[in-house]
Amino acid sequence: MKNLLNKAIGSIMGVALAAASMMGMTGCSVINDDLDPCPQGVKLRFVFDYNMEFYNTFPAQVDCLTLLVYDRDGKFVTSRTETTSALADENYRMTLDLPADTYHFVAYGGMECEKSTFHFVKNPSAGTTLAELQVNMNDNCVSANPGEELHPLFFGDLDLTVDSKAMDYTAGTVYMIRDTNTIRVVLQNVDGTPVNPDDFTFTIFDDNTQLAFDNSVIPVADGNTYSPWQTGQVTVGTTDTDDAATIAFAEFSTSRLMDGSGSRLVINDCISDEAVLSIPLVNYLQLMKSVSSKYSKLGAQEFLDRECDWTLMLFLDNGRWIDTHIVINDWTVRLNHAEL
């Protein structure tokens, strides 16, 4: 009799524990109408570690966030934005109440900021689809002279399922990449004479101002032209040891760089209007992979996406480019034009 009683008590306790487990610590339930329903939806973290530091710098770099939600059929569901300093907190999470289903989330950093330089071609809203999602650079940034420093743009996406039996929000992480680049071109005379930036025109030709729902580049008919947003002259080195040099620089801000693109850097002499140089920009930037074991194992597109701050130092002799070597982000690259 005593054993039967113990077994009965054990069974009752087992049922009670199971019920408590289903209700969770918040006292909610997905099966008991007498309790409040459990929270259902997603709790999303945002990470930007797709950089050369391989470290999450989202809190430091992203100052506004837009999240778009699409259902399993690619139809728009809802959106959320965050423009406060909450984004600077490593513990920031965006919470959305959503019914059980499978969703596709698309996140943009930099779209809702006051100084944003990109916009949605068609604002995501009821009736729109994922395939229609497209981001363009603002008109005043395209083919402008002087150019404009682009506000940083970030992109990320995630597929996530909300289970109907979930007792709490479903956690997920949206990994972001940065689409905007700073490209700094430096001219230095090998004989040490100063270089005047007013003696040259600097131009980058590319076709990357329009981005699709998957962050791929949408080609346009004539491509686009980037002019530097600032040019100048600066003296570097130590005058006490006669190592100082007065160099000219031009700084560009561009959209996403793509492997295999026809991106081109052209520098012309203002007096003769002849090209000092005309090089396939992306091909030259990728040369840095070949001289660094740290980057050599990265894929071509991953390398371009992880790096966003580029400096190219070019050396002149009598106003002509010496095309034997180039310095890219402090790495000296010996040129083999057969590889380009």
Side-chain angles (χ1 to χ4, degrees), residues 31-329:
I31 60 173
N32 190 334
D33 292 337
D34 294 332
L35 295 174
D36 292 334
C38 292
Q40 195 170 69
V42 297
K43 182 175 291 186
L44 300 178
R45 181 189 181 203
F46 300 86
V47 170
F48 173 54
D49 60 4
Y50 206 70
N51 48 50
M52 286 305 188
E53 291 75 31
F54 294 81
Y55 178 78
N56 180 28
T57 59
F58 180 93
Q61 294 202 37
V62 180
D63 52 355
C64 61
L65 182 67
T66 304
L67 182 74
L68 309 174
V69 185
Y70 294 86
D71 65 17
R72 66 173 68 232
D73 298 318
K75 296 179 180 178
F76 177 82
V77 176
T78 188
S79 65
R80 293 289 187 276
T81 60
E82 180 59 69
T83 59
T84 73
S85 59
L87 295 173
D89 185 350
E90 174 65 35
N91 296 314
Y92 171 76
R93 303 291 186 271
M94 181 178 280
T95 303
L96 290 86
D97 292 318
L98 293 169
D101 203 344
T102 296
Y103 298 94
H104 183 73
F105 300 92
V106 181
Y108 290 98
M111 289 286 291
E112 295 295 330
C113 305
E114 182 180 351
K115 296 181 179 180
S116 174
T117 45
F118 289 82
H119 64 277
F120 293 117
V121 174
K122 184 177 183 180
N123 284 327
S125 59
T128 64
T129 64
L130 178 63
E132 296 175 86
L133 180 60
Q134 182 178 324
V135 169
N136 278 15
M137 190 184 296
N138 293 350
D139 290 341
N140 63 304
C141 300
V142 181
S143 300
N145 191 5
E148 182 164 340
E149 184 179 17
L150 301 178
H151 190 82
L153 178 69
F154 298 82
F155 169 88
D157 60 359
L158 173 70
D159 290 313
L160 193 62
T161 297
V162 176
D163 192 331
S164 61
K165 297 179 181 180
M167 305 299 294
D168 202 348
Y169 291 107
T170 301
T173 301
V174 182
Y175 290 94
M176 314 283 285
I177 72 171
R178 177 167 169 157
D179 284 333
T180 45
N181 294 267
T182 295
I183 301 175
R184 198 171 298 102
V185 180
V186 176
L187 297 181
Q188 179 175 339
N189 278 324
V190 292
D191 63 4
T193 58
V195 184
N196 187 347
D198 295 334
D199 291 342
F200 304 92
T201 60
F202 304 82
T203 308
I204 291 177
F205 298 98
D206 208 337
D207 187 359
N208 59 353
T209 57
Q210 300 184 17
L211 302 170
F213 68 92
D214 59 356
N215 207 38
S216 61
V217 168
I218 302 172
V220 297
D222 300 319
N224 54 280
T225 301
Y226 291 99
S227 296
W229 65 272
Q230 72 167 348
T231 58
Q233 188 182 63
V234 64
T235 299
V236 296
T238 306
T239 55
D240 294 341
T241 58
D242 296 325
D243 290 333
T246 300
I247 62 175
F249 69 89
E251 193 159 331
F252 295 85
S253 194
T254 78
S255 183
R256 190 182 184 195
L257 299 172
M258 301 298 295
D259 179 45
S261 71
S263 177
R264 197 159 198 87
L265 169 65
V266 177
I267 302 176
N268 281 358
D269 185 296
C270 288
I271 297 175
S272 65
D273 199 31
E274 294 181 355
V276 174
L277 66 83
S278 177
I279 60 175
L281 178 61
V282 165
N283 294 26
Y284 273 72
L285 296 179
Q286 289 177 329
L287 289 174
M288 195 172 85
K289 265 171 43 72
S290 65
V291 297
S292 168
S293 59
K294 178 180 178 181
Y295 308 134
S296 60
K297 295 181 180 179
L298 299 179
Q301 189 58 51
E302 180 180 354
F303 174 72
L304 292 171
D305 285 335
R306 281 189 179 275
E307 183 60 81
C308 63
D309 197 342
W310 307 88
T311 298
L312 291 83
M313 179 169 284
L314 306 158
F315 297 91
L316 304 177
D317 185 13
N318 281 330
R320 293 294 177 184
W321 174 43
I322 301 174
D323 60 353
T324 57
H325 72 282
I326 185 174
V327 178
I328 305 173
N329 288 13

